[in-house]
Amino acid sequence: MGKVTYSPGIQYVKGSLAKPKKVDGHNHGDYLIATHREAPTTSNSCTNLYVRKGNTYEYPMSQTELAINARNRFTAVSQAIKARKRDLTKLTQDQQAFLAQRDLPNGKKTMLAYYWMICGAEYDEQHNG
């Protein structure tokens, strides 16, 4: 991380300033990323500069079975949530069940989190017995 001061007239820069170029199947160069914190703070330093390796954002070609299963579960559950949100026959029942569990110690605080819990449990029951 580096502290940054820009030329007069430039208050701050946000985003990628440089990206690696892919030539003959491999990357040349690194990422140069500038950030600017907009949240209220007492610090005078709110602009930073980072350098990341050129292959930082690449997904490894050899994926583990665990990673593939997690990605498949995420896809299936998110599609089930989308379908369940549109199903008007279950909407009232889902809202009542959500409100009943919301204030419990391990209750989900948002309807979306509740849907993830319900649809995720259904998926796990179907696929893990």
Side-chain angles (χ1 to χ4, degrees), residues 76-114:
V77 172
S78 63
Q79 289 172 351
I81 290 170
K82 188 182 289 188
R84 190 165 182 137
K85 282 177 162 181
R86 291 181 183 158
D87 188 358
L88 298 179
T89 61
K90 294 182 181 179
L91 183 62
T92 304
Q93 181 183 1
D94 285 345
Q95 288 174 340
Q96 290 171 350
F98 166 70
L99 292 174
Q101 64 83 47
R102 180 177 61 183
D103 295 326
L104 297 175
N106 291 328
K108 300 301 178 187
K109 302 301 180 199
T110 65
M111 191 69 176
L112 184 59
Y114 175 74

Side-chain angles (χ1 to χ4, degrees), residues 25-109:
H26 63 278
N27 290 333
H28 292 275
D30 293 326
Y31 287 95
L32 185 61
I33 302 168
T35 62
H36 177 74
R37 184 179 58 238
E38 296 177 355
T41 182
T42 57
S43 173
N44 291 334
S45 175
C46 58
T47 301
N48 296 309
L49 191 65
Y50 301 91
V51 177
R52 299 276 189 241
K53 292 200 176 286
N55 62 354
T56 298
Y57 302 108
E58 289 181 7
Y59 199 78
M61 295 302 277
S62 61
Q63 300 171 17
T64 65
E65 184 178 347
L66 184 64
I68 292 170
N69 290 341
R71 191 167 55 247
N72 290 341
R73 181 183 186 275
F74 180 87
T75 301
V77 172
S78 63
Q79 289 172 351
I81 290 170
K82 188 182 289 188
R84 190 165 182 137
K85 282 177 162 181
R86 291 181 183 158
D87 188 358
L88 298 179
T89 61
K90 294 182 181 179
L91 183 62
T92 304
Q93 181 183 1
D94 285 345
Q95 288 174 340
Q96 290 171 350
F98 166 70
L99 292 174
Q101 64 83 47
R102 180 177 61 183
D103 295 326
L104 297 175
N106 291 328
K108 300 301 178 187
K109 302 301 180 199

